[in-house]
Amino acid sequence: MTAQLEVRDLAVRYGQALAVRGVSFGIERGETLAVVGANGGGKSSLGKAVARLVGSTGDVLLDGTPVPRTAVAAVGAGVVYVPEGRMVFTQLSVADNLRAGAFSVRRKHDWEARRATLYERLPRLAERASVRAGLLSGGEQQLLAIGRALMAFPSVLVLDEPSLGLSPSAVVTVTDFLREIQQEYDMTVLLLEQNAAFAAKLARRALVLELGVVREVVDAATLAEPAPVPADAESAERQ
Ligand SMILES: Nc1ncnc2c1ncn2[C@@H]1O[C@H](COP(=O)(O)OP(=O)(O)O)[C@@H](O)[C@H]1O
Ligand SMILES: [Mg+2]
């Protein structure tokens, strides 16, 4: 089976510095692939390169067709990036933030219908449709940022640290919403996360990215397990 999203030998360079050094992977339709690793490892650079927000070398293919190298065309092709730190338009209302996400959607009927569906799913945002987004909580802003991306009818979502800085209860709300999206839209997701336990709740497979290189590909479930107790600590405990 060929992957819906295929990334081949992707590299991102900032001046002399190589942030992503030849990364390759595929994601099946409806699959969530996590990319985990410490701060500075290259997760955001990788995600932005896939969404064509930074320059890169290598190939990004969606259903076998190269994703155009400009960001607006990439959205049109179906790849949408949800930025780290949410980046909602704080001065705009919730409704207008969602509207902005649909800039690539021609027919008013289509984006209005999608917005209505999102409001059904996220009643808290529906209640606050005319409120300025800057007044929402962090968790609500994250839901809005994801909702804004869904307004473009993406086939691939790139989520950059969706759990970062959220309260434990907000993390649960965001997790539940992402699970609904996975199922309802059969969404293909590239999930960039420092929080391995959160990644394990949504993904089956994870790439561990270190200094721009894929160190290993792991079963995401192993990320949620506590670190193994060293053998000598265990025997000390028994004594
Ligand atoms: N716009 C930029 N200009 C120069 N260097 C950058 C830029 N963005 C990121 N970097 C560098 O690229 C490396 C990877 O960063 P990043 O992709 O943000 O990693 P992560 O998202 O895993 O924290 C880091 O060393 C970072 O300092
Ligand atoms: Mg990052």
Side-chain angles (χ1 to χ4, degrees), residues 104-185:
S104 61
V105 181
R106 287 233 180 86
R107 292 175 54 205
K108 189 173 184 212
H109 172 266
D110 290 342
W111 67 257
E112 282 185 341
R114 168 75 41 128
R115 191 166 65 182
T117 318
L118 287 170
Y119 282 155
E120 273 169 35
R121 208 152 287 155
L122 300 167
R124 183 81 185 132
L125 289 189
E127 284 162 20
R128 315 188 84 192
S130 58
V131 172
R132 269 195 293 133
L135 298 174
L136 301 181
S137 70
E140 290 162 352
Q141 288 190 10
Q142 186 64 61
L143 296 174
L144 179 58
I146 298 165
R148 181 180 58 185
L150 291 172
M151 290 295 293
F153 293 78
S155 39
V156 176
L157 267 186
V158 181
L159 300 173
D160 200 345
E161 309 259 17
S163 78
L164 194 69
L166 299 186
S167 70
S169 71
V171 169
V172 171
T173 309
V174 169
T175 308
D176 289 346
F177 182 47
L178 289 174
R179 283 207 175 119
E180 276 180 46
I181 292 167
Q182 283 176 323
Q183 287 172 9
E184 200 112 343
Y185 299 114

Side-chain angles (χ1 to χ4, degrees), residues 39 43-44 84 160-161:
N39 203 6
K43 300 182 295 299
S44 293
E84 185 177 333
D160 200 345
E161 309 259 17

